[in-house]
Amino acid sequence: MNLIRILPFAKNLMASAVQNGDIVIDATVGNGHDTVFLAQLVGEQGHVFGYDIQKQALEETEKRLKESGLIDRVTLFHSSHDDIFNTIPKKHHNHIAGAMFNLGYLPGGQKNIVTKPESTIEAVKQLLSILRPGGMIVLVVYHGHPEGKRERDELLKFAEQIDQHTAHVLEYRFLNQKNSPPFIVAIEKAK
């Protein structure tokens, strides 16, 4: 297949907005795969701020970062992503290059602990206020469970209403795949 699959496309979008030395956010660290990717992307001079409400996720991410030799490039918060504005040092506000989200539940974790549309939308609003012009928010939306469907619907409704002078919003999905395949909502802050 020549079409880029969802997760590689999400990483391509982030790589297009982030450079060596940048500050980025992993809004849902999960098992740490995106955190490692982002830490590699920003290089030795950059920094990643990561968020998760589950201690298990933070422990797995920290382990993965240590194994990769990248732990010094990352600050992890045992907190919801809707606390970004208050936890990111003010000196980085308006300099954030990008943020990644993987919505839904922690793979291999408790399926009853899921991201919620209220906190996700609040996090996106906060990010839009502190992203630099041209900064990118990439949300991978997993909606194959009841809460995921509610989050999908509310997130899309919100994203469609973002003023085009504030940000450009892209939806990337495969239309003919079965079983509620994940899709991407990408939001690029206007320059």
Side-chain angles (χ1 to χ4, degrees):
M1 174 158 66
N2 291 324
L3 293 172
I4 302 173
R5 296 198 180 276
I6 296 300
L7 294 179
F9 189 68
K11 288 181 177 182
N12 284 352
L13 286 169
M14 192 55 54
S16 72
V18 175
Q19 299 172 7
N20 194 349
D22 279 340
I23 307 297
V24 297
I25 296 168
D26 186 348
T28 53
V29 299
N31 287 315
H33 298 288
D34 286 343
T35 316
V36 167
F37 165 73
L38 291 170
Q40 292 168 336
L41 200 58
V42 300
E44 292 181 17
Q45 303 305 312
H47 201 77
V48 180
F49 293 95
Y51 295 80
D52 212 293
I53 61 169
Q54 294 185 71
K55 190 171 183 170
Q56 173 189 349
L58 296 168
E59 289 169 353
E60 183 63 32
T61 299
E62 186 174 335
K63 177 183 166 193
R64 198 173 301 281
L65 288 165
K66 285 179 179 175
E67 289 170 354
S68 302
L70 300 168
I71 192 70
D72 59 332
R73 299 180 193 182
V74 179
T75 301
L76 296 173
F77 292 102
H78 187 196
S79 180
S80 173
H81 48 230
D82 66 357
D83 200 26
I84 286 171
F85 188 86
N86 295 321
T87 53
I88 298 293
K90 299 288 186 227
K91 68 180 182 179
H92 297 310
H93 287 206
N94 301 313
H95 300 287
I96 306 294
M100 290 187 80
F101 291 73
N102 275 292
L103 303 179
Y105 53 82
L106 176 65
Q110 299 177 40
K111 293 183 178 181
N112 63 326
I113 302 174
V114 296
T115 55
K116 304 282 188 190
E118 299 81 12
S119 63
T120 299
I121 290 168
E122 178 59 28
V124 171
K125 288 178 181 177
Q126 292 176 22
L127 282 164
L128 283 172
S129 75
I130 65 172
L131 276 179
R132 70 179 182 207
M136 179 88 64
I137 303 168
V138 177
L139 301 108
V140 180
V141 182
Y142 291 88
H143 57 109
H145 54 98
E147 279 297 311
K149 288 175 180 31
R150 186 172 79 86
E151 186 169 38
R152 171 200 65 202
D153 294 346
E154 291 187 33
L155 177 62
L156 288 174
K157 182 179 177 184
F158 165 76
E160 289 170 356
Q161 295 174 5
I162 296 173
D163 185 283
Q164 67 182 1
H165 300 292
T166 300
H168 309 288
V169 181
L170 167 79
E171 181 181 351
Y172 183 81
R173 71 168 70 211
F174 290 94
L175 297 174
N176 64 341
Q177 291 183 352
K178 305 225 182 303
N179 301 319
S180 304
F183 66 94
I184 292 173
V185 174
I187 303 170
E188 180 184 29
K189 187 170 180 176
K191 294 184 179 184

